[in-house]
Amino acid sequence: MPIAEGIKNALVSASMIRKMFEEGIQLKKQHGADKVFDFSLGNPDVDPPQAFHDVLVKLANEDEKGSHGYMPNGGYPFVREALAKKVCREQNVKVDGSFVVMAAGAAGGLNAVFKTICNPGDEVIVSRPYFMEYRAYTANHGAKLIEVDTKEDFSLNLDLIKNALNEKTAAVIINSPNNPTGKIYSKSELDDLASILNEQGKKTGRLPYIVSDEPYREIAYDCEVPPVLSCYKESIVVSSYSKSLSLPGERIGFIAVNPDISDKDDLINALAYSTRILGFVNAPAFMQRIVSQLTDESIDVSIYARRRDEFIKVLNAAGIEYNNPQGAFYLFCKVPQGKNGSTDDKEFIEHLKKYLILGVPGSGFGKPKWVRFAYCVDEKIIKASLNAFIEAVKTW
């Protein structure tokens, strides 16, 4: 029997990030890991903080009876209460555990959100460049992703967002700090976006949600990340511990909603129900218990700041233009004009591979003529890539 048409079509344009990551594995086997400059995947190599290991060992040794069984689909009540305190602090709102639903990572959380709020044919607006999996997440639930451009500095183009709104708009998804640009949206941008959506609600009778994807919230360098929940009533935050505690493989995250959101009880119940029927059932039990004790912990962000600065030195030496990231751990770079006049991002990525440099084409993020490099790698790899980048640009 053939596979489903939707999946068959999706496989043709499957995640470029994963494709480059898998090619990197093969290149490392051929040339040695220290000879390959793999900046493809946002897979943190910084170890989780010591506090994580301490709690992990402590809870594993206690191994309380029933601690590996089912709990309510929304998560352990005591875990939700602990996370609510974190949400209060970060989002400048007053919430208790009933406003939090534990999720199987941010990906699981976003799918639960879109399953909950989207009807077939609905639309979700996103500013490009954006995390490429949003296309699949919205399509999973019968919605269409509507792409609008940002301004040149990658801030929100509110006029374009306003023009894209209509009666089918279920949500506007934002990602700050942004993957791939590292842009942090300002409070004034968020306030203006909220005003636009409130006007849309008055005009159509349907208030679109703001869905804020925040796995990089705690990886910010030069400014704080403004809260979303306190700026707009119909707002939902989705986050995870993949980046802030370097736990991407553990699939642990959460959803938090504005305390004044419409139909709160129905929404929270639907989020927990969606978590169940999407097959996650609940967020991992052991990880829930661990992160509930780590709400004040984070990895050492200064490590990523140093790597950013080292990578910028490499790019400057090679003559590659870039956006200076305010957060996350990516450098989004313009493709330099080649000798034949080309600025094609896919061609440039293929050219870089000849020098054992791996990145991701910007077209995968909705932004052709740009490329993304992830600097969540050993600083030695970044420094060692200098000559490879210089030679690659010379011969491009």
Side-chain angles (χ1 to χ4, degrees):
M1 291 290 288
I3 64 172
E5 283 297 318
I7 294 298
K8 185 176 181 179
N9 293 335
L11 286 174
V12 175
S13 58
S15 173
M16 295 181 186
I17 299 173
R18 283 283 168 179
K19 180 177 180 291
M20 296 305 297
F21 175 65
E22 288 162 8
E23 288 191 28
I25 293 173
Q26 297 305 314
L27 287 174
K28 288 169 189 175
K29 287 179 181 178
Q30 295 173 30
H31 302 279
D34 60 330
K35 301 292 193 301
V36 178
F37 312 114
D38 188 355
F39 307 118
S40 61
L41 185 64
N43 188 22
D45 73 317
V46 175
D47 287 335
Q50 184 59 45
F52 168 80
H53 296 284
D54 295 341
V55 174
L56 175 81
V57 171
K58 175 177 175 288
L59 293 181
N61 285 330
E62 289 175 358
D63 201 22
E64 294 179 10
K65 183 175 175 59
S67 61
H68 305 293
Y70 287 127
M71 81 294 296
N73 297 122
Y76 288 117
F78 74 89
V79 174
R80 296 169 72 183
E81 289 294 339
L83 268 291
K85 293 176 182 177
K86 173 182 172 69
V87 172
C88 290
R89 184 173 67 247
E90 293 180 348
Q91 297 291 334
N92 195 26
V93 293
K94 188 174 181 180
V95 297
D96 58 33
S98 68
F99 295 89
V100 175
V101 172
M102 300 306 295
L110 287 168
N111 272 278
V113 168
F114 292 136
K115 182 71 172 175
T116 296
I117 68 173
C118 291
N119 291 304
D122 275 351
E123 297 178 353
V124 175
I125 297 172
V126 69
S127 295
R128 60 184 166 221
Y130 59 89
F131 179 50
M132 58 184 67
E133 301 288 81
Y134 294 161
R135 297 173 191 163
Y137 297 168
T138 49
N140 282 345
H141 311 294
K144 182 179 180 182
L145 194 66
I146 304 298
E147 304 174 24
V148 301
D149 286 319
T150 58
K151 295 180 179 178
E152 285 190 14
D153 66 352
F154 297 121
S155 59
L156 297 175
N157 191 320
L158 296 168
D159 290 335
L160 293 184
I161 292 174
K162 184 176 181 179
N163 291 338
L165 292 167
N166 60 54
E167 295 81 0
K168 294 182 179 180
T169 305
V172 176
I173 184 169
I174 61 173
N175 173 214
S176 177
N178 179 266
N179 174 11
T181 66
K183 184 71 174 180
I184 294 175
Y185 302 135
S186 68
K187 185 179 185 303
S188 63
E189 286 177 275
L190 298 180
D191 288 340
D192 289 344
L193 176 59
S195 296
I196 289 169
L197 297 184
N198 280 320
E199 285 300 314
Q200 175 72 6
K202 291 177 184 177
K203 185 168 65 174
T204 65
R206 182 182 189 181
L207 271 169
Y209 293 98
I210 291 179
V211 178
S212 184
D213 181 25
E214 301 189 359
Y216 301 97
R217 164 173 279 279
E218 288 161 270
I219 303 177
Y221 309 121
D222 307 315
C223 62
E224 291 192 4
V225 181
V228 173
L229 293 187
S230 56
C231 82
Y232 181 60
K233 190 180 92 161
E234 303 298 318
S235 55
I236 303 170
V237 163
V238 181
S239 193
S240 82
Y241 287 95
S242 295
K243 310 314 192 278
S244 63
L245 292 182
S246 289
L247 302 175
E250 301 297 349
R251 311 314 304 142
I252 183 68
F254 63 90
I255 306 165
V257 304
N258 183 291
D260 297 319
I261 204 163
S262 302
D263 304 313
K264 186 209 87 167
D265 290 340
D266 285 346
L267 180 67
I268 293 291
N269 288 336
L271 289 169
Y273 174 73
S274 294
T275 297
R276 182 171 88 237
I277 64 170
L278 286 171
F280 309 119
V281 182
N282 53 254
F286 192 47
M287 283 298 127
Q288 283 193 54
R289 294 166 62 215
I290 289 175
V291 298
S292 72
Q293 299 188 33
L294 299 174
T295 56
D296 295 321
E297 294 290 336
S298 177
I299 52 91
D300 182 358
V301 177
S302 68
I303 296 172
Y304 289 131
R306 286 198 304 272
R307 292 175 178 182
R308 175 195 62 172
D309 295 344
E310 286 299 329
F311 212 137
I312 283 173
K313 291 177 185 177
V314 171
L315 296 173
N316 285 339
I320 296 176
E321 294 183 55
Y322 53 87
N323 178 68
N324 199 342
Q326 297 169 294
F329 40 60
Y330 306 105
L331 274 155
F332 203 50
C333 306
K334 277 186 180 180
V335 176
Q337 186 169 339
K339 293 176 181 177
N340 64 353
S342 174
T343 54
D344 186 278
D345 51 311
K346 293 179 182 177
E347 286 182 17
F348 186 57
I349 288 295
E350 287 300 310
H351 177 74
L352 291 177
K353 278 164 56 179
K354 299 174 186 175
Y355 297 85
L356 304 182
I357 300 169
L358 299 177
V360 183
S363 53
F365 302 94
K367 191 72 172 176
K369 300 184 180 182
W370 289 71
V371 294
R372 190 200 77 173
F373 300 112
Y375 53 86
C376 47
V377 300
D378 193 302
E379 205 167 316
K380 294 176 183 176
I381 296 293
I382 296 171
K383 292 179 178 179
S385 70
L386 174 62
N387 290 333
F389 267 106
I390 291 172
E391 289 304 311
V393 172
K394 277 184 181 178
T395 57
W396 169 243

